[in-house]
Amino acid sequence: MSKPPPETDPRDLSDRVIDFLRAPATLLFLAGLVIGGLGVHWLSDPEVPEGMLLVTVHNDTDEMIEAIHFSFSHDQSLSELREGRIRPGERRDVALNHPPAAGFNMEVRYADGETQSFCANRGVEGRRQAVRLYR
């Protein structure tokens, strides 16, 4: 007959786990994972493809935006795009097939019936741009 395995004291296991977590190599490893993960998230800025303009629209008002109508043209093409509801404080990325610095027209319709129309970002360089909406 075989002998039953010796009983282990539950405190031995918890002591081993604590010793493992206190080890400098473990702390450095965990710190590296956290910092690396945050760095990748904060520092990554995926390349915006050539010919595309990524516009982040910020609704800085207290009113729901019912719709945004984008219209833009360059060379011999004319394009239009519509975006739906954007809540107060919300932001949305919109991809336009449009060169930077050329500007684009926006018509914003709010839930209370007010409408804003304007040309946005003429002369603004870069494939990532922002438009902050306020009244």
Side-chain angles (χ1 to χ4, degrees):
M1 260 205 230
S2 65
K3 294 182 185 177
E7 288 189 36
T8 58
D9 187 358
R11 290 178 296 178
D12 288 341
L13 179 60
S14 64
D15 287 343
R16 287 182 187 166
V17 169
I18 290 171
D19 289 343
F20 172 75
L21 292 175
R22 285 185 181 167
T26 302
L27 292 176
L28 288 173
F29 175 74
L30 293 174
L33 284 177
V34 170
I35 292 170
L38 293 175
V40 166
H41 177 70
W42 287 337
L43 299 176
S44 68
D45 189 13
E47 187 71 25
V48 177
E50 189 69 29
M52 187 172 91
L53 179 63
L54 188 63
V55 179
T56 302
V57 178
H58 299 260
N59 183 359
D60 290 341
T61 72
D62 293 331
E63 191 71 35
M64 172 76 81
I65 292 174
E66 288 296 324
I68 301 176
H69 177 222
F70 293 88
S71 60
F72 45 95
S73 63
H74 64 280
D75 294 334
Q76 295 192 9
S77 68
L78 172 65
S79 299
E80 294 186 10
L81 179 72
R82 296 190 187 273
E83 276 296 313
R85 299 175 150 227
I86 303 176
R87 291 187 294 273
E90 184 181 16
R91 68 179 183 206
R92 177 158 320 148
D93 290 335
V94 180
L96 306 179
N97 182 18
H98 194 57
F104 47 90
N105 295 314
M106 292 179 67
E107 182 178 290
V108 182
R109 188 170 41 92
Y110 294 93
D112 65 2
E114 185 178 334
T115 302
Q116 291 179 319
S117 296
F118 54 92
C119 178
N121 294 13
R122 181 174 302 279
V124 177
E125 294 293 337
R127 297 209 167 274
R128 288 186 173 275
Q129 298 184 9
V131 174
R132 299 195 82 92
L133 299 172
Y134 55 91
R135 320 194 261 181

